[in-house]
Amino acid sequence: PTPHSPLPKKMPNTAILCVDDESVVLNSLKMQLRNAFQDRFLYEIAESADEAMELLDEFAAQDIRVLCVVSDWLMPGTRGDAFLIQVHQKFPDMIKVMLTGQADESAIARTIAQANLYRCLHKPWNRDELIATIESGIASLRQDE
């Protein structure tokens, strides 16, 4: 290596996880997040609550802190509200955002009460609103530390 070659970038040890059963939604979310936050975070996607829980456990084992999880509500198997409540029980200080086309009000209220839901965004989501929500959520985490 030449004396002026840049050092390899340190891998981020923080991540954002997006969960939705539609891959087109996941790819869009991942692209928008990467465009907004560049290489500040790792961006991971999961197509089900079960897959997402496996990823969260893997990240925890690797000392990677998932700061925020963005989850769809209506998914086959485990719905978003039940998933986010599970996440909250294991990782209480994670920011939880629900992204939905059709969550019922009681599911949203239950997620607020039992999972400390940070925000519920409706599909089709507004990119700027999504980014602002994640930024303010992560900022609120840093204040608590």
Side-chain angles (χ1 to χ4, degrees):
T2 64
H4 299 291
S5 62
L7 292 170
K9 283 194 177 159
K10 184 177 154 296
M11 273 296 279
N13 64 348
T14 50
I16 298 173
L17 173 63
C18 299
V19 188
D20 198 299
D21 57 316
E22 295 177 58
S23 59
V24 68
V25 169
L26 288 173
N27 292 330
S28 177
L29 284 168
K30 191 173 181 177
M31 190 176 68
Q32 288 178 2
L33 293 173
R34 184 168 282 133
N35 286 341
F37 297 116
Q38 306 295 316
D39 51 10
R40 278 174 52 197
F41 309 109
L42 297 170
Y43 306 98
E44 196 57 65
I45 55 176
E47 291 190 15
S48 70
D50 290 345
E51 185 185 342
M53 285 309 278
E54 284 176 27
L55 283 168
L56 289 171
D57 289 338
E58 283 174 29
F59 279 140
Q62 297 169 24
D63 276 337
I64 295 171
R65 182 176 176 204
V66 178
L67 298 175
C68 179
V69 61
V70 178
S71 176
D72 185 21
W73 176 66
L74 189 60
M75 298 184 287
T78 308
R79 291 217 161 142
D81 54 334
F83 164 66
L84 291 173
I85 290 166
Q86 272 184 315
V87 168
H88 185 68
Q89 288 165 349
K90 260 183 125 162
F91 307 100
D93 61 347
M94 194 179 293
I95 295 297
K96 290 156 289 281
V97 176
M98 194 184 301
L99 188 63
T100 181
Q102 62 265 53
D104 62 35
E105 292 305 314
S106 64
I108 294 169
R110 185 170 52 253
T111 313
I112 290 169
Q114 295 179 35
N116 193 22
L117 182 68
Y118 185 72
R119 189 97 189 268
C120 182
L121 301 175
H122 295 278
K123 290 180 181 175
W125 68 93
N126 171 300
R127 178 200 161 290
D128 294 338
E129 186 182 24
L130 172 73
I131 299 306
T133 296
I134 292 171
E135 276 181 334
S136 68
I138 290 171
S140 73
L141 280 180
R142 299 223 156 97
Q143 289 168 355
D144 293 343
E145 289 176 351

